[in-house]
Amino acid sequence: MSVFIAKRVLTLIATLIGASMVIFLVMEILPGDPALVILGVDASDEAVRALTKELGLDRPPVERYWSWITGLLQGELGNSYAYKVPIWELIEGAMLITLPLAVMSIALSIVLALVIGLYAAANHNKAGDVTLMGISQLGISIPNFWLAILLIILFAIELRWLPAGGFPGWDEGILVCLKALLLPSLALATVVGAILARITRSSVLEVFREDYVRTARAKGLSQRATLWRHVLRNALIPVLTVTGIQFSALLTGTVVVENVFHIPGLGSLVLKAINNRDTIVVENVILLLATMVITVNFIVDILYAVVDPRLKAHDI
Amino acid sequence: MSLLNVKNLSVILATNDGPARAVRDLSFSLNKGETLGIVGESGCGKSMAALALMGLLPELSETRGEILLDEENLLDKTEAEMCRIRGNRLAMVFQEPMTSLNPVHTVGNQIMEPLQLHLGLSESAAREEALHLMDRVGIPNPEARIDNYPHQLSGGQRQRVMIAIALSCKPDVLIADEPTTALDVTIQDQILELIQNLVQEDGMALILISHDLGVISENTDNILVMYGGAAVEKGGTEQIFNELVHPYTQGLFAAMPKLGRARTMRLVTIPGTVPDLINLPAGCTFTDRCPIATDICRNTPPPLEEIEPRHAVACHHLQEARSRKTEELFS
Ligand SMILES: Nc1ncnc2c1ncn2[C@@H]1O[C@H](COP(=O)(O)OP(=O)(O)OP(=O)(O)O)[C@@H](O)[C@H]1O
Ligand SMILES: [Mg+2]
């Protein structure tokens, strides 16, 4: 197990180094001069040149990449070109919104998926199953920003139960913040939950056809006991894979929904930073997202080994 | 009064192409301590008949007839009542040891499950008993093996675990569905002998299913030969080996690898293939492959007729079948 983890940590580091190079390169290639954007098109050439020098952008790329990475290793991210504040402050505030939002969405999705998927599998091909699968098909095809708007109209404007958007900040109390995140996470969870529900259903149905399920029934276990003791854990393996992928996608994919709800999360931060050609902010946020995605994959891989004992033997 | 009495058992499976009559009008009885062998080619409905006894047929299939266990018809039982019978009074060992154990649970937990379910043993008592059972089925070093996962065991050991599970609650009837087909030849005999010994020790009745007449001849009291879902010949094992009557039984015998025959010699096979269960022929299902078939075979199903007490054969041409030698019919 420890060898397995050590191997994974090495891969993780290698992946991050690769990711940082790609991110830096893409930002280098991207057109647009930060100094010019900050000063505006009317700025004089001298002013632009002076600012470029001040920001350190006149140094060769390799040198800048090196100072970015060495800075990172010392916990020093530098300052935003556009706002002149430490980048960490910007990221910290945004991450404290996006991360809870993604976690809430994935938690909601998993609950939705298990309830719907198991119910549908237990009532295979009956009216309940067909109806739920029809609804989930709909859930997958609805764009989440459109669903977000529908949710705002229903719960914020008509029923007035929840705020239509914005984020009060964690100082205002946990409850109001969770309330503000509820509709956005619902908009995100519907699609993800619908995908996961379909996978749960088909995976459970597939495992029910396995020989060892027949063995369990031949021992005298009821259908229900067989489901809980013998089917569920095996059926969760593919669900786990897709949950990991979907969670990574949520971390990076909340941009649109954050915009609809005017929530200052990581997505909004990146979007603004790109518009401002605040390259150093973009680089750091994207590297952070990459780190989170890789970490999620790492956790999923370890969960595999927990669920499926056959994997331990292979990976050690 | 026999322990298990099966009367006119029929199984109709729902397939994409329509209803398939996998088992037709099967009748047999089994006493305590007796062994019945069911033999027939692949696809003749042996497993479906066994699963029908257990009440574990695939979804949407239909079972007709009577399955009397101690005079009580299992087909009238509720699902909850069947759950108390399965694994407890009626147990089964399956054809596929590699896939019949759950990969995510230890073998110990899988053996303990029926003990806790039917006998109400505590966790520690069930573990003790599981260790004892593993020892009984010949798994070396049970203390080390009990916490192993199925993938850490060989095929033969897995089948031994399956046998331990099946025998755990001392069932009245054990159904062993081709318990050795998927195993190495060297291990096959060991497993058969193990089943035979344990069944004898516990005095239970055994239904041994196989496609190999050799296996059946050595291990059973009675034989039922199935073809196309129905019995074509049945009787005492000695009776049948004294006189193989039905052309299909003779064909199975001819196809048996014989001791002393040179390796290079070709095995005799019965020409043709098994009938399509969805569109069964009107008459005898063996007609197309039978060397002595005539028009009557094609149109009228033959009744199962006794040729001596307990020995019954379903064939229109009993006289001819009995007078011909096997080597003449199949070579
Ligand atoms: N789930 C199923 N649905 C529909 N038909 C099936 C199903 N399982 C088996 N059959 C068909 O039922 C018939 C009887 O199958 P069965 O498994 O009882 O044969 P068998 O005698 O046990 O053969 P084998 O020696 O290969 O195990 C076969 O023709 C098979 O194709
Ligand atoms: Mg079979």
Side-chain angles (χ1 to χ4, degrees), chain B residues 288-311:
Chain B
D288 289 340
R289 303 170 69 187
C290 183
I292 58 169
T294 58
D295 279 347
I296 183 175
C297 303
R298 204 168 297 285
N299 301 318
T300 325
L304 203 57
E305 274 181 86
E306 282 204 340
I307 56 165
E308 57 183 314
R310 292 174 51 236
H311 188 178

Side-chain angles (χ1 to χ4, degrees), chain B residues 176-189:
Chain B
D177 184 4
E178 312 211 28
T180 58
T181 305
L183 300 177
D184 248 330
V185 197
T186 48
I187 300 167
Q188 289 187 359
D189 287 341

Side-chain angles (χ1 to χ4, degrees), chain B residues 113-126:
Chain B
E113 216 168 10
L115 293 167
Q116 291 173 293
L117 184 71
H118 296 298
L119 308 182
L121 295 192
S122 69
E123 175 120 18
S124 57

